Amino acid sequence: MNCEAFEAILPDLLRHELPPEVQCEALEHAHQCPACEAEWTSLQHLWQGLQELPSPPDPALVARFQAALTPMSPRAKHPWLMNLALPFAAAVLLLLGGFAAGRSYAFRQIPHEDARLELLHQGRPSDRMLGVALLTQNGAPRDAPSAEMLLDRVEKDPSPQVRLAALEALYLFESQPEVSERLLKSLPHQTNPEVQAAQIELLLALREKRALEALRTMLGNPRLDATVRVRLQKSLAQL
Amino acid sequence: MQDHEHMEQVKAGHPEAMAELYARHHGRVLGYFLRLTRQRATAEDLVQEVFLRMLNYRNSFKSSAPFVPWMFGIAHRLHLDHCNRRTLEAGPEVLEAHADAAADTHHRVEHQSDQELLERALARLDPKKRELLLLSREPDLSYQELAQLMGCSLASIKVQVHRALKELRTRYLELQGGAR
C-alpha cells in the first residue's frame, strides 16, 4: 500500500469498517511510513475524542416526557385524550406541554384562566406551548375567550413554534365565528412561510373560501420555500 | 425489544411506546443539538420536537429500515429548519451578536482538558462540518446512511468527513498552542 491509498481509506480505517486484511495492510504501511503514522495517530486521537464526547441522558427530561405520555396510553385510567377529535395532534401539543409541565404545573389539573394567561405570556417558548396545550385539554372550555387567547398567540408570538401550536389548537375551536375572520386578517402579517402555510391549511379546513385566494397568491411567489410550496400544492390538490 | 419494534407499536396507535425510544436515544440527540446550537434551552426544545415529529411522521418509518438513521434524518432536517427560522426571524445584527458571543468564549482560560479543547475546536468549525463529524461519530449510522441523509455519494461523504477531521485538528492545535 502506498501513501495515497492509505490516505484514501483513512475514514474507513477510523471506523474499523475495512476488511481485516486491508486493515492490517494499512496499519503495516503506517508503521513503516513516519508521515502516514503521524497522520493516523493524530486523526485517531481526535476521532477517539469525538467518540468520547459526553452525551449523557437527562433524567429530568425523561421524567417529563414520560409524564406527558402517560395520559395518552389507551390503557391509562383516564384516557381523556381519546375524547379529542385530533388525538395525535393533541398528543403533539401535550408532548410540548408536558415538557414544560415538569417545571411548574400539574398537567392534569386545569389551571385558573389567570394562570393560563400567565403561561401564555412567559418568556420561554416551551412555557407558552404549555399554555396553548392547556387550552385544548379535555374539560377546558371551547369558548370565545380561549379562542381569543390562541388567536393572540398566532398574531403576536415571536416564536414560530408557538404560533404553529396555537394554529393546531384552533382546529378545536372551529365553532367560534371570529376564528376565520381573525386568521384571514393576520395572514398577510405572518413572516414565516411555515406558519403562513399552516394558517392557510386551517382556513381551508374551516371551509373559508377566501383562503383559496391567499393560497394562490402564496404559490405565485417565486421565492416561496420549496417545502412549503409542495405542502400548499398538496392542499390545493385535495380541494 | 428492539427500536424498530417499539416504533411499530407507536405506528399501531400506542404513543406510549415512544417513552422507551426517548429513554434510549434522547441523550445522543441532546448532545447533537447542544453542540450544534450551543444553547441548552434551544437544544432541549429541539430534542422534544424530534420525538414529536416522530409521532407525527410515524407512518414514514419503514419496518425494514434501522431506527437510528431515521431518527437522525428527522433531527438533521429539524436543525435545517431551525437555522432557516433563525435566519428569517433574527436580523443579521442578531446573528452577528451571536457569533461575537461565541467568539468571546474562545478566548477563555488556560488550563483545559483535551475534551474541553476538543469541544471548543468543534465549536469553531463551520456548522456543516461540525454536524458531519457529530453524525459520523454515531456508531449506528454508517457512511452509506450518512451519505443518504446528506444527499451525496458515499465517496463524497468520506472525503468530506476526512476534510472536516483535518480542519478540526487545525483548530484543536491552534487552541492547544494558545492554551498551554
Side-chain angles (χ1 to χ4, degrees), chain A residues 7 11-12 15 39 42 49-50 53-55 58 62 75 88 92 95-96 99 124 158 160-161 163, chain B residues 16 26 35 40-41 45 48-49 52 55-56 58 85 89 118 136-137 141 143 158 162 165-166 169:
Chain A
E7 175 98 354
D12 292 310
R15 285 188 64 132
E39 181 77 355
S42 68
L50 282 172
L53 286 179
S55 294
D58 183 335
V62 176
R75 292 186 294 276
F88 260 103
V92 158
L95 277 183
L96 287 164
F99 173 51
R124 288 178 61 96
Q161 284 154 307
R163 296 205 296 273
Chain B
E16 74 277 8
H26 82 278
R35 292 182 179 96
R40 179 90 196 178
D45 286 348
Q48 293 300 111
E49 205 172 329
L52 181 159
L55 275 177
N56 263 345
R58 61 198 179 280
R85 278 200 295 260
E89 304 233 335
L118 190 56
S136 65
R137 82 189 185 116
L141 200 58
Y143 280 132
K158 288 181 185 175
H162 195 175
L165 199 57
K166 282 182 168 182
R169 178 175 60 191

Side-chain angles (χ1 to χ4, degrees), chain B residues 39-58:
Chain B
Q39 292 175 326
R40 179 90 196 178
T42 305
E44 287 181 359
D45 286 348
L46 289 171
V47 171
Q48 293 300 111
E49 205 172 329
V50 165
F51 285 86
L52 181 159
R53 284 195 180 189
M54 282 192 222
L55 275 177
N56 263 345
Y57 305 142
R58 61 198 179 280

